Amino acid sequence: MAFISTGYNPQKPMENRITDIGPHKYDDYFPPVIKKNFGKWLYHEILEPGVLLHVAESGDKVYTVRVGGARTMSITHIREACDIADKYCGGYLRWTTRNNIEFMVTDEETMKALRDDLNSRKFDGGSHKFPVGGTGASVSNMVHTQGWVHCHTPATDASGPVKCVMDTLFDEFSHMKMPAPVRMALACCINMCGAVHCSDIGLVGIHRKPPMIDHQWADQLCEIPLAVAACPTAAVRPTKVEYNGEKVNSIAIKEDRCMYCGNCYTMCPALPIADGEGDGIAIMVGGKVSNRLSVPKFSKVVVAYIPNEPPRWPTLTKTVKHIVEVYAANAQKYERLGDWAERIGWESFFKLTGLKFTQHLIDDFRDHAYYTWRQSTQFKF
Amino acid sequence: MAKYATPKLDELESGPWPSFVSDIKQEAAARAKNPKGLDYQIPVDCPEDLLGVLELSYNEKETHWKHGGIVGVFGYGGGVIGRYCDQPEMFPGVAHFHTMRVAQPSGKYYSSKFLRDLCDIWDLRGSGLTNMHGSTGDIVLLGTQTVQLEEVFHELTHKLNVDLGGSGSNLRTPEACLGQSRCEYACYNTQDMCYQLTMDYQDELHRPAFPYKFKFKFDGCPNGCVCAMARSDFAVVGTWKDDIKIDQEKVKAYVAGEIQPNAGAHAGRDWGKFDIQKEVVDRCPTHCMNWDGARLSVKTADCVRCMHCINTMPQALHIGDERGASILVGAKAPVVDGAQMGSLLIPFISCESPYDEVKEVIEKIWDWWMEEGKNRERVGETMKRLSFQKLLEVTDTPAGPYHVKEPRSNPYIFFKEEEVPGGWNRDLAAYRKRHQR
């Protein structure tokens, strides 16, 4: 390999440097029908799963075909999406906030050809490249984080469990038979880059063992006060320990106060927390962001721990599928999972799903915990 | 022939959902074949090494990536996330494998030419792997070596006219829903506000000066497709003040079953005939609607704009004309002090370019938070520590009942000294004249 310079000169970094130019303007790449009817859309219809029709005041129509995608995408895959956009869509395409790709055309015939083409494309391993779906009252594509593919703090993988859950719920992705949209997300640790805290079903990687303390390196690798300040439960404190016959500055952890958030490890690499046996996934349900009918709400933990079972996470996928099925069978039309659970009561939620209620599911973090205890004699046996 | 046996990952190639393993293998094969005859600037087999280290994680159930370390491009404090493998001898192709965040256009519309140009840069100078997109919205270029960072940045800025996104304790890459480009619910031009504010705050985005990260998100309506209220420190959510516009003929068409409710979102199951009373009027959270069999009416003063009726009958009901946005502040995920939802600060604000009113609120919040916020404290946590009243005060916002779900249920009230006649400087001697000790 011979280094190919772009013309950048490390000796003179400011020479011809361009900075602070920001993103491209949002309308640089509007398809013509979008540009023409901007702000003038009248209504929309979902013609079939994964296919939207938007009608403008001008009478113009745009057909959108939505396909799910793995968030981790190769340039070979992106180039194939570009080929499709060139063939059918005048070279335009867009992504949604949930890692879907949308292809837009202006007539029904092209839409059908496009849809069939997208559904026909498969990877060598047999999975779909561009599965059409994820609209309306369906299980839409999961948003997720990096996991073991590229993150330093995960308690589980992200792409793998998401692939397994979406395989299990593929029929629910490609049909609209849920009572309401089901939005799922996975975050590989409680940092929640994937913001699962307001999802109908949120999967979050959790640790279950306090960090180990690498006394040899703590003072060299870390700003110890930052690690101390990072702890939400004041379990971390500075200390001096004997290491190889010498007194060294290090860290002590009160283990019974630690709830394994890993925040100290984020600040201090000398506090490794990951553990193959201890780590796994908690399932949270019933959150939402939309203001429709009820106000936005947080997801609640209904399964405290499921072990990591790579490569196919069978216990996780089975549990998620089961929750989705019980919800679909019992909720009213338009009712999000959390609204259903609140209407029937959480006692009924656990009865209907058969999930075991354990002490882990009772909040004990700060003042908020008290407001989740039951201050009433109104409850269901 | 694959460089490593990956029996566990191979099991992720089956099933209908797109397999990231198949896709990474596809990229590995394309690089091995090298049809364009590129002189790859980082190891040609890095996708295989990525699969190799991932297979190791699948066996051990632990990650093999280390903390970032300080890498970046000159003059920026964000946009690059350093990443090193903790088994570099075993997997030299990904020994260092840094991420670059590239600013996405708001709404994420692309031309195939732009994407191909970006792919060409990443083909030569990176792993050929991406995230489309990262959680905050950026295009994520996944995996390159330190010496390539400036080169990629040079190509992005000089050839593609595009910048890096945010990371670290700065303004993160703002994100908007697709707004008026293809949605009839958008109450303001989300993409334009997002773009303008991104451009106006380039310095805050590239050069960390904050206690911690700060996110803007722009939702066009209360449906909240970019999750602004749950995921951004500063959420701008479209709303309106006047009447929902009703096309009574279209309402009748829904009632008669001529138009599918909810734009056909429930078509995959037989929910029975559409019942406007049961499905719309009775479900309205404030019971502000009435259907007399011929005419639908809404008592606007009682409407909280939840969107249910509009979502259910999008051809008959339309958002009002007096449009703007509500601003909610302080949402965040659990780290450090627990998850928070955005709290309503400004009930209604005009959303006309150049958005001076919105920027005024932002800058007042920043001034306060940069002064008072602790290291790694999100603004929502500063609000909890110093009170919502303080936020009202620093943003010159008068308190109103819309700011709370209910008034306080304790009388532990802080009064300002000037609110109390005579102030707090009292005469103990005079008191003792009235009251013996």
Side-chain angles (χ1 to χ4, degrees), chain A residues 1 6 20 24 26 41 44 46 74 76 86 91 146 150-151 157 163 167 177 265 276 292 334 366, chain B residues 14 17 23 27 40 58 62-63 67 97 112 116 131 151 160 181 184 192 207 262-263 269 279 337:
Chain A
M1 187 272 284
T6 57
D20 299 276
H24 281 226
Y26 55 92
W41 296 100
H44 75 284
I46 305 170
S74 73
T76 301
D86 288 346
Q146 297 287 24
H150 207 234
C151 181
D157 188 32
K163 157 77 174 147
D167 276 343
K177 51 191 183 184
Y265 176 63
R292 185 176 186 175
Y334 309 112
R366 309 244 167 121
Chain B
S14 61
W17 189 253
D23 195 12
E27 195 56 34
Y40 290 114
Y58 269 58
E62 288 170 7
T63 192
H67 281 69
F97 208 58
S112 56
R116 287 180 199 282
N131 290 148
E151 306 296 330
L160 263 60
S181 70
E184 67 270 28
D192 194 58
R207 295 168 194 89
N262 213 125
R269 181 159 148 190
E279 295 183 37
D337 267 355

Side-chain angles (χ1 to χ4, degrees), chain A residues 121-162:
Chain A
R121 292 176 189 244
K122 304 269 177 74
F123 284 109
D124 286 344
S127 66
H128 279 277
K129 283 180 172 171
F130 302 106
V132 176
T135 51
S138 68
V139 171
S140 58
N141 196 355
M142 289 178 77
V143 290
H144 67 87
T145 56
Q146 297 287 24
W148 295 334
V149 172
H150 207 234
C151 181
H152 63 302
T153 66
T156 184
D157 188 32
S159 310
V162 164

